Amino acid sequence: MTQDWLPQSVTSSGDADNDGVWGTTKVILSGWGQNGTTTTDHMGRIAFIDANDPSNFKFRWVLRFPR
């Protein structure tokens, strides 16, 4: 883990549906914020994690730029 980014939030397809999947997909979303930033107008990133196979998670990062 880098100290430039800190985890801020987490949710999953289990929050959307009681069986833990949305359609046929099990996902985890993890939001990260920049360390030391005090304004709401800063970069953020979200990890989209494919959790269909618990022994082989796959993920992609999405970066949010300030307005």
Side-chain angles (χ1 to χ4, degrees):
M1 177 164 67
T2 176
Q3 293 184 8
D4 293 337
W5 294 93
L6 295 174
Q8 301 291 313
S9 58
V10 67
T11 190
S12 73
S13 50
D15 288 333
D17 204 351
N18 289 335
D19 65 0
V21 295
W22 185 252
T24 60
T25 304
K26 186 179 285 189
V27 297
I28 301 168
L29 301 165
S30 176
W32 294 68
Q34 287 183 300
N35 188 14
T37 303
T38 57
T39 67
T40 58
D41 196 26
H42 64 277
M43 288 196 313
R45 65 185 186 180
I46 300 173
F48 288 82
I49 304 158
D50 176 345
N52 287 313
D53 179 358
S55 66
N56 186 28
F57 283 175
K58 297 175 184 154
F59 69 95
R60 294 288 184 262
W61 287 109
V62 175
L63 186 64
R64 179 209 174 262
F65 288 100
R67 294 178 200 200

